[in-house]
Amino acid sequence: MASTLETRQAVEEVSGDYKYGFVTDIEMVKAPKGLSEDVIRFISAKKEEPEWLLDWRLKAYQKWLKMEEPDWALLDYVKPDFQDIYYYAAPKSADDRPKSLDEVDPELLRTYEKLGISLQEQEVLSGVAVDIVFDSVSVATTFRETLKKKGVIFCSISEAARDYPEIMKKYLGSVVPMADNFYAALNSAVFTDGTFVYIPKGVRCPMELSTYFRINEANTGQFERTLIIADDESYVSYLEGCTAPMRDENQLHAAVVELVVLENAEIKYSTVQNWYPGDKDGKGGIYNFVTKRAACRGENSKVSWTQVETGSAVTWKYPSCILQGDGSVGEFYSVAITNNYQQADTGTKMIHIGKNTSSTIISKGISAGKAQNVYRGLVKVLPNAENTRNFTQCDSLLIGDECGAHTVPYIEAKNPTAQLEHEATTSKISDEQLFYCLQRGLDVEDSVALIVNGFCKEVMMQLPMEFAVEAQKLLGISLEGSVG
Amino acid sequence: MLEIKNLHVDVDGKEILKGLNLNIGPGEVHAIMGPNGAGKSTLAYAICGKEGYEITKGSVTFKGKDFLELEANERAGEGVFLGFQYPVEIPGVSNVNFLRAALNSIRKYRGEDEIAAVEFLKLIRAKAAELKMDPEMLKRAVNVGFSGGEKKRNEMIQMAMLDPIFSVLDETDSGLDIDALRIVADGINRMRGDSRSILVITHYQRLLDYVVPDFVHVLSDGKIVKSGDKSLAIRLEKDGYASVGIDESAA
C-alpha cells in the first residue's frame, strides 16, 4: 500500500505552506450535473486557472462534441450518460461517510486484511470519516521540500498551470493532442486534477515519486491528467495507483498521461490498478478508459511502462511509446487479470521513428470466471527508421473454461532493416499442476497464486520493490474463488 | 498406518479399482506391481485425494483418521507424499520458493510457525548435498527444462524436505538410467525408518534390487491378486505376469 496514512500525515504537516489546499476545496460544492461550457468555466474558476487553459479546455470541449464514442474494442458495456455525471466535486462531508469500519462491507475489509493494511489505513481507504479527506484533489505535494533542493517540480497539475505556465503551455497536449480520441478530448475539457513532474537536466530524482488517485463520491467521473517531463540526462521512477481495492458504483475514469523524455533521459512509470471490478455477477465496477503515451524525443531516451491491472469492470488502455529520438528505447511490461465478468482490452503501441530504436513488449493476460482479456498492440516502423528492433511476447493464461483470451498484434514495417519478433502462447492452469501443488500441501488459493505469479514473473520483476511484494499478494487475491 | 478396505474407484464413470484391500504398518515398505492398466496410478491418486477419482465404495484410513474426508492438501499435511510418475512443470516458480511455500503450508496445517529463511536454506542445501544434487538446480523453475532423471531427483529432494511419514512412489524408476536409479533408490532408502512407511509402485522389479520391500503385491484388474515377499517380484521378472495367472494382453 502506498502509505496513505503517511501521505495524509505528511500533507497535514505541510499544509501550512499549501496555498491552494483542500481545506478551501472541501468547502466547495459540486458543479451541477452534466457537461456544458458553464461547467468547464466553473471547474477552471475553482482551479484558479489562467485564461489560456480555460480556452484550451473549451476548444477541447468543442472538438469532443463532434466526436463519437469508439466501439472497436472487444468490450461490452453500457455507454456512460455524459449528462448524468458530476464533473467537479468536493469530497463527501463527514455526515455521508461510514462512521466506523463496522459500517464498511466486510468483504472489502477481509481483502484489506489479506494485503496487510493497518486499521487506520483501512479507515482512510474505505472512506470512513476522518479529519482530513480528499477526493479530486491531488496529494502529490508531499515530499516537495526534499525535491525542491534538487530542482524537481512535483505538484498538482492545477498548481503547475498557475506556477509554471511556460512549461505547461509547451508540453500540455503535446504528446496526447486534445482531440486525440474521444476520451482524451473529454479529459482535456474537464480534467479536475492530476500530477505534474519536471526533472531538470542532469538530475536523478532522489526518490520514487508516488501518488494515488481516489474515487470517493458516487457518480463523480474522474478525469485525472498527468504530465511528466524528464529533461536531458535525467531519470525518474513514478508509481501510480495502489494495491488496495477502491470501491464505488459504476464510475467513469478517463485519465490522460503524457510523458516527455529528452536526450539520454529515462522515465520508469509503474502502475498498479485495482479499482473496484464489480461484484461476482458483474454489477457495478469502474470503467477505466485511459490514454497513456510517452514521447521519446531525445536521442537515447528511454521509457518503461510497467502495469499490473487487476481492477475495473472495463479496462481500455494502451500505454504507448513514440520512439522519435535516434537510439531511443521503449518498454512495456503488463499483467492484466480479469475475473468474473471483468473485461480488459489493453496493450501498447510502439512507433519507431528514429534510427536504431528498439522496443520490448511483454504482456501477460490472465482470465478467469467469465472474463474476457484482449491484448491489442501495434508495432510500427516508419520508412526512415533504420535498424530498429522489436521483441514482443504475449502470453495468455486461462483459468476455467468460460473465459476468453484474445491476442491482436498489428505490425507495420515500412523499413526493410527492421527486425521484429513476435511470440505468443496460450495455456491453462492444468488439473495436473493444481494437484501437484495441493499434494505438496498448498491449498487451492495459494496454489493458484503461486502458478499465476510464476506466469507473470518477468513483469513482476520490473516493479519497484515497494510495489512488488504487495502486487504478488494482489494477484492471488484477484483470482480468489476462480478455481474449485 | 494405512488401511485400505474394499476400495472401489471410478474414473470418468469407469470402475478402475474394484475392491482393493491393503494394510501398511509403520516401518514397512510395500511394493505394488502389475501390468499396465491394472490401476496402480489410480491407487496412488485415490490415496492422495486427486479430483476426478471418485470413491464409490470402501474406506481409506490413515493413522486412524478417515482419509476420504480430507482434501488433497490436508492429506499432505497429515504426512503423505506422492512421488509423481510425471512431475509437473511450474514455469516462473523456483524450486526454492516452491519448496518453502509447500513446507510452510504443511507447518501451518500442523499449527507450527513458518520456518525461518536462514534455517530453510541450510536445510535445503544439506538435503541437496545428500542427494548429490547441483544447488543451481534449486534456483531453476520447478521441473522446467529438467531431464527425466533430474525430474525424479527433484521429487526426491521434495520428499526429503517435506519429511513425510508415508510416501507413495508412483513408477519413480521409469525412464531412469542406472546411475539415476541408484540416486533415487538412495533417496527412498533414506526415508526408511521405524515410524515411516513407503509404498513403491513399479512395473519392473529393477528398483526393488535397491529398495528391498518387506511385501510385494500384484495388482491386476483393480484388485490385489497375489501377495508375497521379495521373491514374488523376482518370479514376476523372470517368468512374467502369466506365471501368477494374469493375462497381460487382456489388461
Side-chain angles (χ1 to χ4, degrees), chain A residues 156-182:
Chain A
S156 80
I157 203 147
S158 316
E159 275 178 279
R162 292 186 299 261
D163 300 348
Y164 310 100
E166 295 316 313
I167 312 180
M168 275 287 279
K169 268 191 214 169
K170 186 170 174 189
Y171 291 110
L172 184 73
S174 76
V175 186
V176 179
M178 63 166 69
D180 183 82
N181 66 66
F182 183 81

PDB file of all heavy atoms in Angstrom, chain A residues 156-182:
ATOM      1  N   SER A 156       0.533  19.343  -8.161  1.00  0.00           N
ATOM      2  CA  SER A 156      -0.690  19.034  -8.893  1.00  0.00           C
ATOM      3  C   SER A 156      -0.677  19.809 -10.202  1.00  0.00           C
ATOM      4  O   SER A 156      -0.026  20.839 -10.321  1.00  0.00           O
ATOM      5  CB  SER A 156      -1.916  19.404  -8.063  1.00  0.00           C
ATOM      6  OG  SER A 156      -2.142  20.787  -8.155  1.00  0.00           O
ATOM      7  N   ILE A 157      -1.413  19.293 -11.162  1.00  0.00           N
ATOM      8  CA  ILE A 157      -1.364  19.906 -12.486  1.00  0.00           C
ATOM      9  C   ILE A 157      -2.025  21.285 -12.460  1.00  0.00           C
ATOM     10  O   ILE A 157      -1.644  22.177 -13.220  1.00  0.00           O
ATOM     11  CB  ILE A 157      -1.967  18.958 -13.547  1.00  0.00           C
ATOM     12  CG1 ILE A 157      -1.421  19.304 -14.928  1.00  0.00           C
ATOM     13  CG2 ILE A 157      -3.482  18.946 -13.507  1.00  0.00           C
ATOM     14  CD1 ILE A 157      -1.267  18.133 -15.842  1.00  0.00           C
ATOM     15  N   SER A 158      -2.979  21.484 -11.547  1.00  0.00           N
ATOM     16  CA  SER A 158      -3.601  22.807 -11.426  1.00  0.00           C
ATOM     17  C   SER A 158      -2.588  23.833 -10.951  1.00  0.00           C
ATOM     18  O   SER A 158      -2.533  24.956 -11.436  1.00  0.00           O
ATOM     19  CB  SER A 158      -4.757  22.769 -10.421  1.00  0.00           C
ATOM     20  OG  SER A 158      -5.541  21.641 -10.612  1.00  0.00           O
ATOM     21  N   GLU A 159      -1.783  23.410  -9.983  1.00  0.00           N
ATOM     22  CA  GLU A 159      -0.738  24.308  -9.496  1.00  0.00           C
ATOM     23  C   GLU A 159       0.248  24.646 -10.604  1.00  0.00           C
ATOM     24  O   GLU A 159       0.691  25.787 -10.729  1.00  0.00           O
ATOM     25  CB  GLU A 159       0.038  23.636  -8.370  1.00  0.00           C
ATOM     26  CG  GLU A 159      -0.572  23.787  -7.017  1.00  0.00           C
ATOM     27  CD  GLU A 159       0.276  23.046  -6.020  1.00  0.00           C
ATOM     28  OE1 GLU A 159       0.114  21.820  -5.921  1.00  0.00           O
ATOM     29  OE2 GLU A 159       1.109  23.687  -5.374  1.00  0.00           O
ATOM     30  N   ALA A 160       0.602  23.592 -11.366  1.00  0.00           N
ATOM     31  CA  ALA A 160       1.578  23.802 -12.434  1.00  0.00           C
ATOM     32  C   ALA A 160       1.066  24.828 -13.437  1.00  0.00           C
ATOM     33  O   ALA A 160       1.828  25.666 -13.941  1.00  0.00           O
ATOM     34  CB  ALA A 160       1.892  22.486 -13.125  1.00  0.00           C
ATOM     35  N   ALA A 161      -0.242  24.763 -13.712  1.00  0.00           N
ATOM     36  CA  ALA A 161      -0.822  25.703 -14.669  1.00  0.00           C
ATOM     37  C   ALA A 161      -0.658  27.132 -14.169  1.00  0.00           C
ATOM     38  O   ALA A 161      -0.474  28.055 -14.956  1.00  0.00           O
ATOM     39  CB  ALA A 161      -2.294  25.380 -14.900  1.00  0.00           C
ATOM     40  N   ARG A 162      -0.714  27.298 -12.844  1.00  0.00           N
ATOM     41  CA  ARG A 162      -0.579  28.646 -12.290  1.00  0.00           C
ATOM     42  C   ARG A 162       0.886  29.054 -12.138  1.00  0.00           C
ATOM     43  O   ARG A 162       1.272  30.180 -12.444  1.00  0.00           O
ATOM     44  CB  ARG A 162      -1.258  28.697 -10.910  1.00  0.00           C
ATOM     45  CG  ARG A 162      -2.756  28.559 -10.972  1.00  0.00           C
ATOM     46  CD  ARG A 162      -3.361  28.769  -9.593  1.00  0.00           C
ATOM     47  NE  ARG A 162      -2.893  27.783  -8.626  1.00  0.00           N
ATOM     48  CZ  ARG A 162      -3.590  26.707  -8.285  1.00  0.00           C
ATOM     49  NH1 ARG A 162      -4.764  26.452  -8.840  1.00  0.00           N
ATOM     50  NH2 ARG A 162      -3.114  25.873  -7.401  1.00  0.00           N
ATOM     51  N   ASP A 163       1.694  28.091 -11.635  1.00  0.00           N
ATOM     52  CA  ASP A 163       3.069  28.453 -11.247  1.00  0.00           C
ATOM     53  C   ASP A 163       4.116  28.240 -12.343  1.00  0.00           C
ATOM     54  O   ASP A 163       5.176  28.844 -12.307  1.00  0.00           O
ATOM     55  CB  ASP A 163       3.475  27.659 -10.003  1.00  0.00           C
ATOM     56  CG  ASP A 163       2.559  27.949  -8.825  1.00  0.00           C
ATOM     57  OD1 ASP A 163       1.780  28.928  -8.931  1.00  0.00           O
ATOM     58  OD2 ASP A 163       2.609  27.219  -7.826  1.00  0.00           O
ATOM     59  N   TYR A 164       3.852  27.305 -13.240  1.00  0.00           N
ATOM     60  CA  TYR A 164       4.853  27.016 -14.289  1.00  0.00           C
ATOM     61  C   TYR A 164       4.199  27.067 -15.668  1.00  0.00           C
ATOM     62  O   TYR A 164       4.232  26.097 -16.419  1.00  0.00           O
ATOM     63  CB  TYR A 164       5.492  25.643 -14.052  1.00  0.00           C
ATOM     64  CG  TYR A 164       5.993  25.465 -12.633  1.00  0.00           C
ATOM     65  CD1 TYR A 164       5.246  24.753 -11.707  1.00  0.00           C
ATOM     66  CD2 TYR A 164       7.199  26.039 -12.230  1.00  0.00           C
ATOM     67  CE1 TYR A 164       5.689  24.605 -10.387  1.00  0.00           C
ATOM     68  CE2 TYR A 164       7.650  25.913 -10.919  1.00  0.00           C
ATOM     69  CZ  TYR A 164       6.896  25.193 -10.005  1.00  0.00           C
ATOM     70  OH  TYR A 164       7.325  25.059  -8.720  1.00  0.00           O
ATOM     71  N   PRO A 165       3.579  28.195 -15.995  1.00  0.00           N
ATOM     72  CA  PRO A 165       2.788  28.259 -17.235  1.00  0.00           C
ATOM     73  C   PRO A 165       3.619  28.003 -18.489  1.00  0.00           C
ATOM     74  O   PRO A 165       3.114  27.428 -19.451  1.00  0.00           O
ATOM     75  CB  PRO A 165       2.213  29.686 -17.223  1.00  0.00           C
ATOM     76  CG  PRO A 165       3.076  30.459 -16.289  1.00  0.00           C
ATOM     77  CD  PRO A 165       3.584  29.478 -15.275  1.00  0.00           C
ATOM     78  N   GLU A 166       4.922  28.396 -18.454  1.00  0.00           N
ATOM     79  CA  GLU A 166       5.722  28.231 -19.672  1.00  0.00           C
ATOM     80  C   GLU A 166       5.894  26.759 -20.015  1.00  0.00           C
ATOM     81  O   GLU A 166       5.691  26.343 -21.159  1.00  0.00           O
ATOM     82  CB  GLU A 166       7.099  28.894 -19.496  1.00  0.00           C
ATOM     83  CG  GLU A 166       7.048  30.420 -19.317  1.00  0.00           C
ATOM     84  CD  GLU A 166       6.098  31.096 -20.294  1.00  0.00           C
ATOM     85  OE1 GLU A 166       6.180  30.758 -21.501  1.00  0.00           O
ATOM     86  OE2 GLU A 166       5.261  31.934 -19.866  1.00  0.00           O
ATOM     87  N   ILE A 167       6.256  25.963 -18.997  1.00  0.00           N
ATOM     88  CA  ILE A 167       6.465  24.534 -19.250  1.00  0.00           C
ATOM     89  C   ILE A 167       5.125  23.882 -19.618  1.00  0.00           C
ATOM     90  O   ILE A 167       5.052  23.058 -20.522  1.00  0.00           O
ATOM     91  CB  ILE A 167       7.046  23.817 -18.002  1.00  0.00           C
ATOM     92  CG1 ILE A 167       8.231  24.589 -17.427  1.00  0.00           C
ATOM     93  CG2 ILE A 167       7.481  22.399 -18.365  1.00  0.00           C
ATOM     94  CD1 ILE A 167       8.862  23.950 -16.200  1.00  0.00           C
ATOM     95  N   MET A 168       4.095  24.269 -18.893  1.00  0.00           N
ATOM     96  CA  MET A 168       2.784  23.671 -19.154  1.00  0.00           C
ATOM     97  C   MET A 168       2.330  23.946 -20.585  1.00  0.00           C
ATOM     98  O   MET A 168       1.881  23.048 -21.286  1.00  0.00           O
ATOM     99  CB  MET A 168       1.757  24.237 -18.168  1.00  0.00           C
ATOM    100  CG  MET A 168       1.716  23.507 -16.844  1.00  0.00           C
ATOM    101  SD  MET A 168       0.953  21.882 -16.988  1.00  0.00           S
ATOM    102  CE  MET A 168      -0.773  22.355 -16.935  1.00  0.00           C
ATOM    103  N   LYS A 169       2.450  25.210 -20.997  1.00  0.00           N
ATOM    104  CA  LYS A 169       1.994  25.582 -22.343  1.00  0.00           C
ATOM    105  C   LYS A 169       2.763  24.800 -23.400  1.00  0.00           C
ATOM    106  O   LYS A 169       2.212  24.389 -24.410  1.00  0.00           O
ATOM    107  CB  LYS A 169       2.200  27.076 -22.575  1.00  0.00           C
ATOM    108  CG  LYS A 169       0.999  27.920 -22.219  1.00  0.00           C
ATOM    109  CD  LYS A 169       1.221  29.335 -22.753  1.00  0.00           C
ATOM    110  CE  LYS A 169       0.593  30.348 -21.805  1.00  0.00           C
ATOM    111  NZ  LYS A 169       0.984  31.721 -22.104  1.00  0.00           N
ATOM    112  N   LYS A 170       4.059  24.611 -23.103  1.00  0.00           N
ATOM    113  CA  LYS A 170       4.905  23.951 -24.087  1.00  0.00           C
ATOM    114  C   LYS A 170       4.540  22.466 -24.239  1.00  0.00           C
ATOM    115  O   LYS A 170       4.565  21.922 -25.334  1.00  0.00           O
ATOM    116  CB  LYS A 170       6.375  24.087 -23.650  1.00  0.00           C
ATOM    117  CG  LYS A 170       7.355  23.556 -24.669  1.00  0.00           C
ATOM    118  CD  LYS A 170       8.776  23.942 -24.297  1.00  0.00           C
ATOM    119  CE  LYS A 170       9.779  23.296 -25.243  1.00  0.00           C
ATOM    120  NZ  LYS A 170      11.154  23.473 -24.773  1.00  0.00           N
ATOM    121  N   TYR A 171       4.211  21.814 -23.126  1.00  0.00           N
ATOM    122  CA  TYR A 171       4.094  20.356 -23.185  1.00  0.00           C
ATOM    123  C   TYR A 171       2.672  19.796 -23.061  1.00  0.00           C
ATOM    124  O   TYR A 171       2.410  18.682 -23.491  1.00  0.00           O
ATOM    125  CB  TYR A 171       4.966  19.722 -22.098  1.00  0.00           C
ATOM    126  CG  TYR A 171       6.437  19.892 -22.362  1.00  0.00           C
ATOM    127  CD1 TYR A 171       7.219  20.737 -21.579  1.00  0.00           C
ATOM    128  CD2 TYR A 171       7.045  19.207 -23.416  1.00  0.00           C
ATOM    129  CE1 TYR A 171       8.575  20.896 -21.824  1.00  0.00           C
ATOM    130  CE2 TYR A 171       8.407  19.362 -23.668  1.00  0.00           C
ATOM    131  CZ  TYR A 171       9.158  20.201 -22.874  1.00  0.00           C
ATOM    132  OH  TYR A 171      10.493  20.355 -23.131  1.00  0.00           O
ATOM    133  N   LEU A 172       1.756  20.553 -22.456  1.00  0.00           N
ATOM    134  CA  LEU A 172       0.403  20.013 -22.282  1.00  0.00           C
ATOM    135  C   LEU A 172      -0.228  19.730 -23.651  1.00  0.00           C
ATOM    136  O   LEU A 172      -0.267  20.604 -24.510  1.00  0.00           O
ATOM    137  CB  LEU A 172      -0.473  20.993 -21.492  1.00  0.00           C
ATOM    138  CG  LEU A 172      -1.881  20.486 -21.164  1.00  0.00           C
ATOM    139  CD1 LEU A 172      -1.838  19.429 -20.069  1.00  0.00           C
ATOM    140  CD2 LEU A 172      -2.792  21.639 -20.741  1.00  0.00           C
ATOM    141  N   GLY A 173      -0.665  18.530 -23.844  1.00  0.00           N
ATOM    142  CA  GLY A 173      -1.288  18.162 -25.120  1.00  0.00           C
ATOM    143  C   GLY A 173      -0.289  17.943 -26.240  1.00  0.00           C
ATOM    144  O   GLY A 173      -0.692  17.740 -27.384  1.00  0.00           O
ATOM    145  N   SER A 174       0.989  17.963 -25.923  1.00  0.00           N
ATOM    146  CA  SER A 174       1.985  17.801 -26.989  1.00  0.00           C
ATOM    147  C   SER A 174       2.226  16.321 -27.303  1.00  0.00           C
ATOM    148  O   SER A 174       2.764  15.982 -28.343  1.00  0.00           O
ATOM    149  CB  SER A 174       3.298  18.487 -26.601  1.00  0.00           C
ATOM    150  OG  SER A 174       4.001  17.719 -25.644  1.00  0.00           O
ATOM    151  N   VAL A 175       1.864  15.443 -26.383  1.00  0.00           N
ATOM    152  CA  VAL A 175       2.025  14.005 -26.616  1.00  0.00           C
ATOM    153  C   VAL A 175       0.678  13.376 -26.949  1.00  0.00           C
ATOM    154  O   VAL A 175       0.549  12.582 -27.868  1.00  0.00           O
ATOM    155  CB  VAL A 175       2.662  13.314 -25.385  1.00  0.00           C
ATOM    156  CG1 VAL A 175       2.955  11.853 -25.706  1.00  0.00           C
ATOM    157  CG2 VAL A 175       3.914  14.030 -24.924  1.00  0.00           C
ATOM    158  N   VAL A 176      -0.324  13.743 -26.168  1.00  0.00           N
ATOM    159  CA  VAL A 176      -1.696  13.317 -26.456  1.00  0.00           C
ATOM    160  C   VAL A 176      -2.462  14.590 -26.829  1.00  0.00           C
ATOM    161  O   VAL A 176      -2.876  15.352 -25.964  1.00  0.00           O
ATOM    162  CB  VAL A 176      -2.351  12.648 -25.226  1.00  0.00           C
ATOM    163  CG1 VAL A 176      -3.786  12.238 -25.552  1.00  0.00           C
ATOM    164  CG2 VAL A 176      -1.536  11.448 -24.759  1.00  0.00           C
ATOM    165  N   PRO A 177      -2.620  14.843 -28.124  1.00  0.00           N
ATOM    166  CA  PRO A 177      -3.329  16.071 -28.531  1.00  0.00           C
ATOM    167  C   PRO A 177      -4.748  16.081 -27.963  1.00  0.00           C
ATOM    168  O   PRO A 177      -5.311  15.030 -27.698  1.00  0.00           O
ATOM    169  CB  PRO A 177      -3.365  15.970 -30.054  1.00  0.00           C
ATOM    170  CG  PRO A 177      -2.292  15.000 -30.418  1.00  0.00           C
ATOM    171  CD  PRO A 177      -2.173  14.057 -29.276  1.00  0.00           C
ATOM    172  N   MET A 178      -5.275  17.271 -27.790  1.00  0.00           N
ATOM    173  CA  MET A 178      -6.564  17.381 -27.101  1.00  0.00           C
ATOM    174  C   MET A 178      -7.666  16.561 -27.766  1.00  0.00           C
ATOM    175  O   MET A 178      -8.536  16.044 -27.084  1.00  0.00           O
ATOM    176  CB  MET A 178      -6.985  18.842 -26.961  1.00  0.00           C
ATOM    177  CG  MET A 178      -7.210  19.543 -28.278  1.00  0.00           C
ATOM    178  SD  MET A 178      -8.081  21.101 -28.075  1.00  0.00           S
ATOM    179  CE  MET A 178      -6.872  22.117 -27.260  1.00  0.00           C
ATOM    180  N   ALA A 179      -7.606  16.427 -29.071  1.00  0.00           N
ATOM    181  CA  ALA A 179      -8.662  15.672 -29.749  1.00  0.00           C
ATOM    182  C   ALA A 179      -8.145  14.320 -30.235  1.00  0.00           C
ATOM    183  O   ALA A 179      -8.625  13.766 -31.209  1.00  0.00           O
ATOM    184  CB  ALA A 179      -9.214  16.480 -30.920  1.00  0.00           C
ATOM    185  N   ASP A 180      -7.174  13.778 -29.533  1.00  0.00           N
ATOM    186  CA  ASP A 180      -6.568  12.503 -29.929  1.00  0.00           C
ATOM    187  C   ASP A 180      -7.608  11.408 -30.057  1.00  0.00           C
ATOM    188  O   ASP A 180      -7.616  10.642 -31.001  1.00  0.00           O
ATOM    189  CB  ASP A 180      -5.521  12.107 -28.890  1.00  0.00           C
ATOM    190  CG  ASP A 180      -4.797  10.842 -29.279  1.00  0.00           C
ATOM    191  OD1 ASP A 180      -3.866  10.945 -30.087  1.00  0.00           O
ATOM    192  OD2 ASP A 180      -5.175   9.761 -28.790  1.00  0.00           O
ATOM    193  N   ASN A 181      -8.439  11.307 -29.070  1.00  0.00           N
ATOM    194  CA  ASN A 181      -9.539  10.341 -29.134  1.00  0.00           C
ATOM    195  C   ASN A 181     -10.665  10.856 -28.258  1.00  0.00           C
ATOM    196  O   ASN A 181     -10.513  11.851 -27.540  1.00  0.00           O
ATOM    197  CB  ASN A 181      -9.071   8.944 -28.702  1.00  0.00           C
ATOM    198  CG  ASN A 181      -8.683   8.875 -27.235  1.00  0.00           C
ATOM    199  OD1 ASN A 181      -9.526   9.022 -26.348  1.00  0.00           O
ATOM    200  ND2 ASN A 181      -7.387   8.696 -26.968  1.00  0.00           N
ATOM    201  N   PHE A 182     -11.785  10.198 -28.306  1.00  0.00           N
ATOM    202  CA  PHE A 182     -12.995  10.639 -27.628  1.00  0.00           C
ATOM    203  C   PHE A 182     -12.757  10.938 -26.146  1.00  0.00           C
ATOM    204  O   PHE A 182     -13.103  12.002 -25.636  1.00  0.00           O
ATOM    205  CB  PHE A 182     -14.061   9.552 -27.795  1.00  0.00           C
ATOM    206  CG  PHE A 182     -15.390   9.885 -27.210  1.00  0.00           C
ATOM    207  CD1 PHE A 182     -16.292  10.686 -27.903  1.00  0.00           C
ATOM    208  CD2 PHE A 182     -15.767   9.381 -25.970  1.00  0.00           C
ATOM    209  CE1 PHE A 182     -17.531  10.978 -27.367  1.00  0.00           C
ATOM    210  CE2 PHE A 182     -17.000   9.672 -25.425  1.00  0.00           C
ATOM    211  CZ  PHE A 182     -17.895  10.476 -26.125  1.00  0.00           C
TER     212      PHE A 182
END
